[in-house]
Amino acid sequence: MGCAPSLRVSQTGIIYCRDSDESNSHHSPGQSSNISSQQQTTVVFPKTEVKTTGDPGASTSIQLTQQIRFLNRRGTIEAETQTSQLFLKGDRPSFWFGPMKLKDNPIKILLVFEEDAQSEAFWWAADRANYTCNLVKNPEHAVDSYLDKRHDIIIIDNRHSNTFNAEVLCRSIRATKQSNHTVIVAVTKQQRSFLYSTADVDEPPIASILVAGFNSYFPENENIGSCYNYLQLLESEHVRQRRKILATEALFTALEKCSDAIQITDKEHCIQYVNPAFEKLSGFNSEEIIGKGSRDLFYNGTGEETEQMLSQIKKSKAWEGRCGLKKRSGEVIRFRCTTTPVMDADKRADHVVYVKRSEDFVESRVHSLGSLKEPDLPGLPNEAVYYRRGSVRSLYNFTGDIRSIRSEGGVAHGMLRRQSLARIHSMTIEAPITKVVNMIYGVQESCPSNVAPLLDKVIEILRSSELYSPLNENVREGDEMSTEMETEYVEGLMSRSLRKSSSAYPILPLQESQRKSYPMLLPSNTTSPPLSLKSAPPDVQAVLEKDDMWDIDILELERLTNKKPLLYLGLKIFTRFGVSEFLTCPDKVMQTWLQRIEASYHSTNKYHNSTHAADVLQATAYFLNRERLKKGCLTKQDQVGSVLAAAIHDVDHPGRTNVFLANAQAPLALCYNDRAILENHHAAFAFKLTIADDSCNIFKNMTREDYKPLRDIIIDMVLATEMTKHFEHVSKFVNSVNKHDKYSGRMSEDEHSSIQSGLCTGHNVDLSTPENRMLIKRMLIKCADIANPCRPLALCKEWAYRIADEYFLQAEEERERGLPVVMPVFDRKTCNIPKSQTTFMDIFIMDTFDAWDTFADLQDLMENLQGNYAYWQREAALITSKAEQQNHTSPLVSC
């Protein structure tokens, strides 16, 4: 960059700089590149170290850590660097490569140019991007500078061949070892750019540039903004990718040094990599086996264990067990094997990682360790208080502290002990789950050897982000239809996003003709006049007499009331629980409110209509009347909030699932960000309708202090009906209430009196606390919402066919609109409805009602549930048998 400037530093720390005619200092874009040799420039820069060299060809690098201003004699600002401002912002951010965190170090750039406007543009662009930049003028100094500083990006001037040969320089740099992770760019003449090519001028070929080793080329452009954008693009698309590739070398080094035998295959079980430990275990060299099929080469025939492993891999699931390996010598050895599929974007196994451990090899290592005596043990510095415990992996290479392995019960017992990580995880701020994990780590240090692996599995599960989502690992072996149905139910009812096979369905704006609206109805009036239960028809009153009995025929009430069962049943149950009195609400307002809520249910829905709301309301009232819940467990406010929540829990339901609305980009899905779409809408809609008109505002006369907690109860219970939270609510109820409740379930009168009227249990669980009452209310409305399988058989069957019909309609609409079919097995022509019922019971009903029965004593319901389950099993088997007999070409598909 020319001769070095003349520098003089005063005692006050001010640097005086007089540039020569060929200044090596770059100037701001608007400033002339030449500064008169007679003009003195003052650099205000206290305590700054500036390193330069007088060699004309050598590079000059100036990095400033404070703001610099070049002032002329008149005191005006001529130029200002941006490097200092950017450095003051702190370290560059890190980025992730899988689970590996990589530091985004500052980019180093080498410019190989004769100093001109183009090099100056790159200099200031690098300055703006907070990059370190060096400029050299000849190839010799370019190679020396690169070997010294190892730049990330090298930009070489390829416009003028009379100065130096850029392609020869590129080949020279590529000959060095570290150049594999360096991006080299050629600056070409303007006519070589695609942007400025014309039809009558052929573009010069760039093959020679690529062959020479350049990664990219840049058509000359002296605009700083263009240079800045290009440098940012290089960092994003080239530099970071090369840093990731460099990080993989560390991962492969770890694999090479790992004492476990590692094998990686593709989805076709073709071997792609084995580490030295695998070579030692099998007797094969990597060159002999890479590219060959792992099953044919290694596995001992087609044994049952191998078939199980391959079956799990086919399902994209991990597997762990014992397997056979045929060595080069022909000997078959047994080993422990863990297979882990690596998923692609479609959640399909793209690679499979095998971790293998020979049992004989481990035993031989343990035996050799056990033969050591105390004098043979190496001395420890300062007689350390605790020793690093060796794992099985460390024993392979004799890495682990021998004293700690031999102590506490011998080698075999101490070998599998884990090192306590409680010290590492003892942070100042701990979440509850972190405390639990630390406690488990502490227990691992002194637990029996056969318990330690189980605790490892516990920690692995606790680290999952979806603690309460079902693992779905305990499906019946060989029952592929059941597995498919369980997957469909879990994805269709509990997923918030597209199905795993939905990559073929793009998210595109729907045409107007395809749009289907799901309106927010706010009825201002109804045609039915206010009524009293005394004026109801005798047959309606006869059905309502059984409102507190589980075998009430809600479908008969639907028929007798002309599809308005919620109004009549609501008035009866609200009167029994004193809802109007609690709300200080006139009966006429309550009647109007029930009429408008019922009118807001879509009568065209097959399942989610006002009859379903009435059914859930009756079940809620029935549960509230159980002896356990009447003994002071829930307050009057809880009871009123529960029946109100049951009445509104599905109001304005469109007859489609949350996943459907999210996939269709429905307005409700956009409004609630695909989270609990319908449940949020039901609660919000009901409160909007209620407060919109005083004639139906049942909360009008309540004080703010009373209204706010009641509103919280209603909203929380409605949101609890979301199926994505089903297992979370059930698990919390079981672990917080049932698990510590000695007297839960069927209790005698003496037992009831001994637990203080139901408030405290044998294990001092106070059911009256706000937290426990919340768990009970959530469990209550969840069970009421899905209680159809516990109803008498005739009702159970009708509800089953109704919900299936609603799913049929949804699947048909999804196909018509080109949306992902959430539950494709719900095909009207092929669906085995009895099988779908048994599957739904297996996933959601059985465990839930076992827990609820344990708490609330629901023997009649459980008898109905068992009888209905047996009925659906017989029907499903009959349909399957008929299909096999008829030998259909398209057999029934279980849903």
Side-chain angles (χ1 to χ4, degrees):
M1 297 195 317
C3 297
S6 173
L7 299 177
R8 180 170 62 85
V9 182
S10 70
Q11 295 180 354
T12 59
I14 302 298
I15 301 176
Y16 294 91
C17 171
R18 181 182 299 276
D19 289 343
S20 64
D21 291 338
E22 296 181 1
S23 173
N24 63 2
S25 298
H26 280 285
H27 315 295
S28 62
Q31 186 181 9
S32 172
S33 60
N34 293 324
I35 298 179
S36 171
S37 61
Q38 301 300 322
Q39 183 180 22
Q40 179 170 301
T41 304
T42 301
V43 183
V44 184
F45 188 43
K47 299 180 182 179
T48 301
E49 182 180 3
V50 180
K51 296 181 180 179
T52 63
T53 178
D55 191 339
S59 64
T60 301
S61 176
I62 303 179
Q63 291 191 0
L64 308 180
T65 57
Q66 298 186 28
Q67 194 166 19
I68 306 172
R69 289 182 173 87
F70 292 91
L71 304 178
N72 61 16
R73 288 179 176 177
R74 293 172 301 204
T76 59
I77 297 177
E78 297 288 347
E80 178 178 333
T81 66
Q82 299 175 12
T83 305
S84 59
Q85 301 172 16
L86 294 170
F87 281 172
L88 289 175
K89 295 179 181 178
D91 296 335
R92 295 172 63 85
S94 301
F95 62 97
W96 291 91
F97 176 43
M100 192 174 186
K101 188 176 182 180
L102 304 180
K103 187 176 181 181
D104 199 1
N105 294 320
I107 305 296
K108 292 182 289 186
I109 298 178
L110 176 62
L111 302 177
V112 186
F113 278 86
E114 285 292 335
E115 190 171 357
D116 61 359
Q118 183 64 71
S119 65
E120 194 163 313
F122 271 118
W123 180 280
W124 287 105
D127 182 76
R128 178 188 298 180
N130 194 20
Y131 297 162
T132 300
C133 189
N134 299 100
L135 188 147
V136 297
K137 294 182 178 181
N138 58 64
E140 293 77 11
H141 289 103
V143 175
D144 292 340
S145 178
Y146 173 68
L147 293 175
D148 180 45
K149 302 184 183 306
R150 298 194 177 187
H151 301 85
D152 300 289
I153 301 172
I154 301 177
I155 303 177
I156 303 176
D157 187 0
N158 193 39
R159 297 169 298 173
H160 313 292
S161 59
N162 57 344
T163 306
F164 57 84
N165 192 318
E167 295 180 5
V168 172
L169 174 58
C170 181
R171 289 190 179 93
S172 301
I173 295 175
R174 286 297 183 203
T176 62
K177 293 182 179 180
Q178 61 264 37
S179 65
N180 291 334
H181 305 292
T182 301
V183 182
I184 305 180
V185 179
V187 176
T188 62
K189 293 183 179 180
Q190 187 71 355
Q191 60 267 27
R192 303 189 72 170
S193 172
F194 290 112
L195 294 176
Y196 295 93
S197 61
T198 59
D200 55 346
V201 177
D202 292 337
E203 284 189 15
I206 62 171
S208 61
I209 296 178
L210 299 179
V211 171
F214 287 98
N215 301 104
S216 180
Y217 73 96
F218 179 81
E220 58 181 340
N221 188 337
E222 299 170 4
N223 182 276
I224 295 178
S226 298
C227 295
Y228 173 80
N229 292 336
Y230 184 70
L231 293 179
Q232 293 286 296
L233 185 65
L234 289 179
E235 178 182 5
S236 175
E237 295 189 356
H238 291 275
V239 177
R240 283 195 175 187
Q241 298 305 318
R242 278 163 169 73
R243 287 181 177 176
K244 291 179 181 180
I245 294 174
L246 185 60
T248 60
E249 295 183 4
L251 299 178
F252 275 110
T253 300
L255 292 175
E256 293 290 307
K257 299 299 182 181
C258 179
S259 54
D260 284 336
I262 308 294
Q263 170 189 336
I264 302 177
T265 70
D266 61 13
K267 59 185 177 182
E268 303 297 335
H269 306 290
C270 181
I271 299 175
Q272 296 179 319
Y273 169 82
V274 295
N275 69 341
F278 185 93
E279 294 178 325
K280 185 174 183 179
L281 181 65
S282 65
F284 288 95
N285 294 324
S286 60
E287 294 81 4
E288 298 176 294
I289 55 180
I290 289 180
K292 297 184 179 181
S294 61
R295 178 176 181 178
D296 296 336
L297 187 60
F298 294 112
Y299 298 118
N300 182 20
T302 56
E304 179 181 352
E305 296 153 340
T306 302
E307 294 299 328
Q308 291 178 359
M309 178 181 65
L310 296 178
S311 175
Q312 291 296 98
I313 294 175
K314 187 176 181 181
K315 298 175 185 177
S316 299
K317 294 183 179 180
W319 179 85
E320 182 176 359
R322 300 174 64 189
C323 210
L325 171 67
K326 189 174 182 179
K327 300 180 65 173
R328 183 190 184 99
S329 61
E331 176 189 1
V332 176
I333 61 173
R334 303 289 294 175
F335 59 86
R336 298 290 302 178
C337 180
T338 301
T339 64
T340 306
V342 180
M343 306 301 181
D344 59 14
D346 294 329
K347 295 186 178 180
R348 298 175 182 175
D350 189 64
H351 293 79
V352 182
V353 178
Y354 300 79
V355 180
K356 303 179 180 182
R357 188 174 305 122
S358 171
E359 296 174 349
D360 295 338
F361 184 60
V362 174
E363 290 177 1
S364 65
R365 289 295 191 185
V366 174
H367 178 73
S368 62
L369 288 175
S371 63
L372 295 177
K373 298 181 181 179
E374 193 69 27
D376 301 327
L377 300 178
L380 295 178
N382 301 326
E383 290 297 321
V385 177
Y386 71 94
Y387 312 110
R388 179 170 177 258
R389 297 187 181 275
S391 64
V392 175
R393 295 177 177 83
S394 64
L395 289 178
Y396 292 164
N397 290 331
F398 297 98
T399 62
D401 182 74
I402 305 300
R403 298 185 184 184
S404 64
I405 295 174
R406 289 176 52 87
S407 63
E408 301 180 14
V411 176
H413 180 69
M415 180 186 64
L416 292 178
R417 295 185 182 276
R418 269 53 171 181
Q419 177 185 1
S420 173
L421 298 181
R423 297 183 183 90
I424 299 177
H425 291 269
S426 58
M427 299 181 296
T428 305
I429 302 176
E430 284 186 319
I433 191 66
T434 305
K435 293 182 179 179
V436 172
V437 172
N438 289 342
M439 292 170 65
I440 296 175
Y441 278 131
V443 171
Q444 273 189 321
E445 189 171 6
S446 58
C447 71
S449 59
N450 61 332
V451 177
L454 298 178
L455 294 180
D456 281 338
K457 186 66 175 177
V458 170
I459 294 173
E460 179 182 349
I461 295 174
L462 290 177
R463 284 173 173 167
S464 169
S465 60
E466 298 292 341
L467 294 179
Y468 295 96
S469 296
L471 296 175
N472 202 26
E473 293 178 348
N474 298 321
V475 297
R476 291 177 292 278
E477 291 295 334
D479 195 349
E480 296 183 359
M481 297 172 65
S482 297
T483 303
E484 180 183 3
M485 282 188 297
E486 293 186 14
T487 302
E488 296 293 348
Y489 265 118
V490 171
E491 289 187 356
L493 298 180
M494 300 185 62
S495 176
R496 292 195 183 108
S497 58
L498 300 178
R499 296 181 72 250
K500 62 183 179 181
S501 59
S502 63
S503 58
Y505 299 94
I507 300 299
L508 298 175
L510 299 176
Q511 301 296 327
E512 289 299 325
S513 60
Q514 294 178 304
R515 294 187 181 275
K516 181 174 180 180
S517 62
Y518 298 99
M520 292 194 214
L521 303 176
L522 287 174
S524 59
N525 55 67
T526 58
T527 57
S528 301
L531 53 86
S532 64
L533 290 176
K534 295 180 180 179
S535 63
D539 47 359
V540 173
Q541 294 189 34
V543 175
L544 293 178
E545 287 298 323
K546 302 179 67 175
D547 71 295
D548 59 347
M549 303 178 66
W550 188 249
D551 61 348
I552 182 175
D553 192 344
I554 204 74
L555 300 179
E556 177 67 11
L557 184 63
E558 176 192 54
R559 184 185 66 82
L560 294 174
T561 59
N562 192 23
K563 295 187 176 181
K564 295 180 180 177
L566 182 60
L567 173 61
Y568 289 88
L569 185 63
L571 288 174
K572 181 67 183 295
I573 291 177
F574 286 4
T575 300
R576 176 151 59 93
F577 282 90
V579 176
S580 296
E581 291 80 0
F582 181 84
L583 301 176
T584 62
C585 167
D587 292 339
K588 183 177 180 180
V589 174
M590 180 60 70
Q591 292 173 5
T592 303
W593 183 80
L594 277 170
Q595 287 175 317
R596 295 190 181 180
I597 289 293
E598 184 156 43
S600 299
Y601 278 92
H602 298 189
S603 60
T604 56
N605 290 346
K606 300 293 184 180
Y607 181 89
H608 290 98
N609 49 40
S610 66
T611 305
H612 168 66
D615 181 69
V616 175
L617 173 60
Q618 193 275 336
T620 299
Y622 180 84
F623 294 150
L624 289 172
N625 203 38
R626 302 305 295 170
E627 193 69 23
R628 189 68 185 284
L629 280 80
K630 289 170 60 179
K631 288 290 184 178
C633 177
L634 299 182
T635 65
K636 183 68 174 180
Q637 187 181 62
D638 292 327
Q639 294 177 346
V640 172
S642 296
V643 294
L644 290 176
I648 70 165
H649 85 283
D650 271 337
V651 65
D652 197 39
H653 196 294
R656 300 292 181 265
T657 63
N658 281 334
V659 184
F660 173 91
L661 297 178
N663 291 345
Q665 301 180 82
L668 286 179
L670 299 177
C671 178
Y672 296 110
N673 300 314
D674 296 347
R675 296 295 189 269
I677 301 168
L678 289 173
E679 291 72 25
N680 275 302
H681 174 60
H682 300 323
F685 179 93
F687 278 98
K688 287 179 183 178
L689 182 148
T690 302
I691 65 177
D693 189 349
D694 285 349
S695 65
C696 67
N697 189 352
I698 58 177
F699 307 120
K700 180 181 179 180
N701 297 326
M702 296 188 71
T703 64
R704 183 178 298 275
E705 290 74 15
D706 293 334
Y707 169 72
K708 184 60 171 64
L710 180 63
R711 170 177 159 83
D712 291 341
I713 290 172
I714 296 172
I715 293 175
D716 185 78
M717 293 186 70
V718 173
L719 293 181
T721 61
E722 184 198 8
M723 292 305 293
T724 62
K725 299 292 185 181
H726 174 85
F727 294 100
E728 177 178 347
H729 295 321
V730 175
S731 298
K732 287 182 177 179
F733 175 81
V734 170
N735 291 315
S736 299
V737 179
N738 274 5
K739 190 172 183 178
H740 303 288
D741 187 356
K742 176 181 177 182
Y743 296 98
S744 62
R746 299 164 181 79
M747 297 176 289
S748 64
E749 294 182 0
D750 294 338
E751 289 173 330
H752 271 300
S753 61
S754 67
I755 58 172
Q756 301 178 14
S757 300
L759 295 181
C760 295
T761 65
H763 286 251
N764 297 322
V765 177
D766 188 354
L767 300 180
S768 65
T769 63
E771 294 78 11
N772 286 333
R773 289 187 359 247
M774 177 186 66
L775 294 176
I776 293 171
K777 287 178 292 185
R778 290 175 178 174
M779 190 69 171
L780 184 151
I781 197 168
K782 284 204 64 64
C783 291
D785 190 28
I786 58 175
N788 300 147
C790 299
R791 293 288 187 181
L793 181 59
L795 299 177
C796 174
K797 290 165 59 179
E798 178 62 24
W799 286 120
Y801 289 113
R802 288 190 178 193
I803 189 62
D805 200 11
E806 195 166 284
Y807 288 156
F808 293 156
L809 293 174
Q810 174 174 310
E812 291 165 1
E813 183 177 350
E814 287 168 335
R815 294 186 180 96
E816 291 174 1
R817 297 173 60 175
L819 297 173
V821 181
V822 177
M823 292 182 283
V825 291
F826 273 99
D827 189 317
R828 194 183 300 274
K829 298 178 181 179
T830 61
C831 184
N832 185 340
I833 294 179
K835 186 66 175 177
S836 74
Q837 281 298 297
T838 57
T839 303
F840 180 76
M841 293 181 184
D842 285 332
I843 300 175
F844 297 106
I845 301 299
M846 293 300 190
D847 293 339
T848 302
F849 274 90
D850 278 342
W852 189 234
D853 170 52
T854 301
F855 177 79
D857 188 9
L858 304 166
Q859 186 173 359
D860 293 343
L861 275 71
M862 299 305 293
E863 290 176 359
N864 286 347
L865 179 59
Q866 296 299 328
N868 294 341
Y869 184 82
Y871 167 80
W872 290 121
Q873 278 188 319
R874 292 193 300 269
E875 290 296 306
L878 182 61
I879 292 176
T880 304
S881 177
K882 288 182 178 180
E884 293 175 353
Q885 292 175 3
Q886 295 174 1
N887 193 20
H888 267 279
T889 57
S890 300
L892 290 176
V893 179
S894 174
C895 49

